[in-house]
Amino acid sequence: METEALREWLDGRTARHEFSGVALIWREGKPTFTYSGGLAHRGHGVPITDDTRFAVASVTKLVTATTALRLVDRGLVRLDQPLIEILPTEHQPAGLTAEHTLHHLLSHTSGLTNYHDDEDQTWASFTSCWDRIPTYHLRRPADMLPLFKDLPAVFPPGSRYQYADANFILAGLVIETITGNAFGDVIAEEVLRPAGMIDTAIESLDREPARLATGYLAHGDDGPPASWRANYFSVPMVGMPDGGMITTAHDLARLIDALLAGSLLSPAMCKAMMSPQGPASDAVEQYGYGCEVVVEGGNVTIIGHGGSDPGVSTMVAHHLDAATTIVVLSNYDRGSWAVTKHIAESLGLTEPRA
């Protein structure tokens, strides 16, 4: 790979405000290429560096699922255990039945209604949630329940796959119920510390987390970059089980290494996490347990997860045959996928996703 050509390409995107963030290529436990560009804070002119921390939206689901599966490995809960046996009544959505299990939550096959419209190509549906509950009141998973608790299910559990953030809010509540501890504390104990993710945590934005890049809403804004709004009032104040964890590119590469090395899960559980868990499908993009998988010729070739929030665009992609992890974190809500795909092509790796 021509690293200077890649760096020049990234410099060009950064100069055109098409990217702001960090890009990492990781092999054999260490970085082989790093790039950082753009501003972590526009008002103070703080540049992004390799150790800048980012909120990573749905990439958080990798950690939530790993935590839940560790509890399964230890026999504290079963994947096929009915959720009504676990969750207290006040945490059970109206659409929950005796058939719903942890498997359905982690695989997005529950059929439970999401708290926002995933089909909305703008941020309107997502940010309208905070008209109902101000972001500064959202500090623990249970605080999100009023957004979807009274809604009916949209299809029977297990009948099809449909991505819904609400599934992972409930998975976080399962984790809290089983352990008796706060979600952020449990993931730190179960995953972050064992994986060596020293710069990762669930933190409150109004306590100004160290080295955190401020997110900027670029998507749908045709104005100059200086006019793009910060995302202070567009995301929950504290990271949730479905998104919002604060981390670095290096820490996310360490997470993938720890999973593949068998440091976090049993071999059988790790395989299940990284295998399609929905109904049989010939789709290239499928879902395991909190893990996006690319399937080619019947084989899983790429694992990881993407994330998108107002002011957040992130991607983690591990190419199994090449033993190579690509991590791209941006504090714009666009741009990470184009960078991820270009890096894969520069490495000569197959990336069949559009």
Side-chain angles (χ1 to χ4, degrees):
M1 183 189 71
E2 293 289 338
T3 58
E4 287 309 310
L6 177 57
R7 199 171 299 278
E8 289 178 9
W9 183 85
L10 288 162
D11 280 339
R13 291 189 71 84
T14 301
R16 295 189 299 272
H17 299 286
E18 295 170 351
F19 180 69
S20 172
V22 168
L24 171 70
I25 302 172
W26 183 275
R27 283 174 169 156
E28 297 180 347
K30 59 183 182 295
T32 60
F33 175 87
T34 58
Y35 175 88
S36 56
L39 293 176
H41 193 285
R42 192 175 58 199
H44 292 292
V46 178
I48 289 173
T49 66
D50 291 349
D51 67 349
T52 295
R53 302 169 75 219
F54 294 81
V56 293
S58 286
V59 171
T60 307
K61 291 181 174 72
L62 281 168
V63 170
T64 302
T66 302
T67 302
L69 294 175
R70 280 173 64 87
L71 301 180
V72 174
D73 261 339
R74 293 211 298 278
L76 298 178
V77 65
R78 303 191 317 272
L79 280 166
D80 64 354
Q81 188 169 351
L83 296 174
I84 59 173
E85 294 180 2
I86 306 169
L87 295 173
T89 303
E90 63 270 21
H91 290 170
Q92 296 181 16
L96 198 70
T97 69
E99 297 178 353
H100 285 96
T101 66
L102 181 59
H103 158 81
H104 296 125
L105 298 181
L106 298 179
S107 62
H108 289 300
T109 58
S110 74
L112 296 172
T113 303
N114 203 10
Y115 62 84
H116 63 93
D117 182 4
D118 279 310
E119 299 302 318
D120 186 355
Q121 297 301 305
T122 72
W123 292 122
S125 174
F126 184 77
T127 57
S128 69
C129 295
W130 323 139
D131 294 333
R132 296 172 57 193
I133 306 176
T135 59
Y136 50 82
H137 285 318
L138 299 169
R139 298 181 180 273
R140 55 197 183 105
D143 294 336
M144 299 286 287
L145 280 171
L147 296 171
F148 64 94
K149 188 173 186 290
D150 296 331
L151 300 175
V154 293
F155 59 83
S159 60
R160 61 187 173 97
Y161 164 84
Q162 183 170 301
Y163 192 94
D165 289 323
N167 287 318
F168 274 72
I169 296 297
L170 293 173
L173 289 170
V174 168
I175 289 168
E176 289 191 336
T177 302
I178 294 297
T179 63
N181 293 310
F183 173 74
D185 294 338
V186 181
I187 68 166
E189 178 70 22
E190 294 289 341
V191 178
L192 307 184
R193 284 195 283 273
M197 300 172 70
I198 58 175
D199 286 320
T200 305
I202 296 294
E203 297 184 59
S204 179
L205 297 178
D206 57 4
R207 293 188 181 276
E208 297 186 327
R211 308 192 324 273
L212 175 65
T214 297
Y216 296 102
L217 280 71
H219 183 74
D221 190 330
D222 296 327
S227 72
W228 294 347
R229 292 180 296 118
N231 68 349
Y232 303 134
F233 304 108
S234 303
V235 293
M237 191 58 61
V238 176
M240 294 289 167
D242 65 327
M245 180 177 73
I246 295 171
T247 187
T248 64
H250 285 70
D251 269 9
L252 291 172
R254 293 185 184 105
L255 171 64
I256 298 297
D257 279 359
L259 283 167
L260 293 174
S263 302
L264 298 174
L265 298 173
S266 66
M269 197 62 69
C270 187
K271 182 179 180 180
M273 179 182 184
M274 299 176 184
S275 300
Q277 292 297 333
S281 171
D282 59 2
V284 169
E285 298 180 63
Q286 298 190 46
Y287 208 84
Y289 288 138
C291 184
E292 295 172 349
V293 298
V294 172
V295 181
E296 299 176 271
N299 297 313
V300 174
T301 58
I302 303 171
I303 61 166
H305 215 293
S308 183
D309 268 344
V312 178
S313 175
T314 59
M315 194 70 199
V316 177
H318 178 81
H319 293 253
L320 290 164
D321 288 346
T324 299
T325 303
I326 300 169
V327 182
V328 180
L329 308 180
S330 178
N331 62 330
Y332 291 169
D333 46 15
R334 65 183 186 194
S336 67
W337 173 238
V339 171
T340 303
K341 194 169 179 65
H342 184 84
I343 290 175
E345 292 169 351
S346 298
L347 292 169
L349 302 176
T350 301
E351 178 49 87
R353 292 173 287 187

